[in-house]
Amino acid sequence: MALARRLLRLSPHLGTLPLPSPNSSNLIGTRTYISDMRRSAFVDRLLRSVRSEISSLSNFAPPPSPPPPTPFTVEDRPGEQWTRLRRVFPAAEGEEEEVRVDATLVDGALPASRSGADTGGPPRLHISVNVEVSKAARPGVVLTFECSAWPDEMEVRRVFPVRRGGPAPVQQYIGRQFSELDEEMQSAVQDYLEQIGVNDDLAAFLHAYMENKEHTELIRWLKNIECHIKK
């Protein structure tokens, strides 16, 4: 009964309670509009940032890279993190050999001192280099040299043959580290690489070339991002 009396007392005021507005959907639309405006602002800011970076990089390009050491030819890989050099020449026995050099962009660095102590100078940048020498008379085998290209030095890490055209071993034995080999063998390998053009001059060229490639690839990457954002 008490509840009934309370309802009777409230009945004159029930008609004054607010009813759902027929325009409540406008509120949802307004929120969506504001959300779209905020998203557009973020996109515009990102576009300005990307375009500013492209402009800055375009205005401060590194010096042009020198031509490759003769008779190497460069096979660039646009959009990839490596490049390839090739040369073909007659070997001592008269049979043709092909030298293929695959080099990455800069993939590491050490302090200026080789001993590991930081002398405050610029770091020594590192490029990984894979050299393959193949002979026309033995197409199923290539001699592989894993190297490190420093700005002023080509350093050999390993030497091992690789079989092509057949099943590869799951874990091929690739010998010892180059530094662990007999000194006479180390000297012979270095003389051989010098003969085929894999030397300190090639290391210096790779660093100059990869500096330009890094710059070019960075601009291409930024332009791809810009293109995707605009769509």
Side-chain angles (χ1 to χ4, degrees), residues 76-216:
D76 194 19
R77 295 290 196 274
E80 298 188 16
Q81 300 188 59
W82 64 288
T83 195
R84 173 171 291 167
L85 286 77
R86 289 182 187 268
R87 67 171 293 187
V88 178
F89 64 100
E93 297 81 5
E95 64 176 281
E96 193 174 74
E97 286 186 343
E98 180 187 47
V99 180
R100 190 177 77 181
V101 179
D102 292 334
T104 66
L105 293 172
V106 171
D107 58 3
L110 286 178
S113 172
R114 287 297 302 277
S115 63
D118 190 352
T119 60
R124 300 183 78 241
L125 302 179
H126 176 271
I127 292 175
S128 295
V129 179
N130 192 73
V131 181
E132 290 187 351
V133 181
S134 58
K135 295 185 177 183
R138 299 192 65 197
V141 178
V142 295
L143 187 58
T144 301
F145 301 85
E146 288 184 355
C147 304
S148 290
W150 303 99
D152 56 355
E153 177 188 7
M154 184 70 75
E155 179 183 10
V156 187
R157 299 201 311 266
R158 285 190 184 274
V159 184
F160 53 93
V162 175
R163 218 169 261 286
R164 283 180 173 172
V170 176
Q171 289 186 327
Q172 178 181 341
Y173 178 72
I174 57 175
R176 296 180 176 180
Q177 292 279 351
F178 183 74
S179 59
E180 298 174 357
L181 299 178
D182 178 84
E183 289 186 5
E184 183 177 350
M185 184 172 181
Q186 290 186 43
S187 178
V189 168
Q190 289 167 341
D191 288 345
Y192 174 73
L193 289 175
E194 181 73 35
Q195 178 196 6
I196 64 175
V198 181
N199 50 29
D200 297 347
D201 290 341
L202 181 62
F205 163 78
L206 288 174
H207 275 266
Y209 184 88
M210 289 305 182
E211 182 180 0
N212 276 270
K213 180 173 174 63
E214 174 74 38
H215 184 267
T216 301

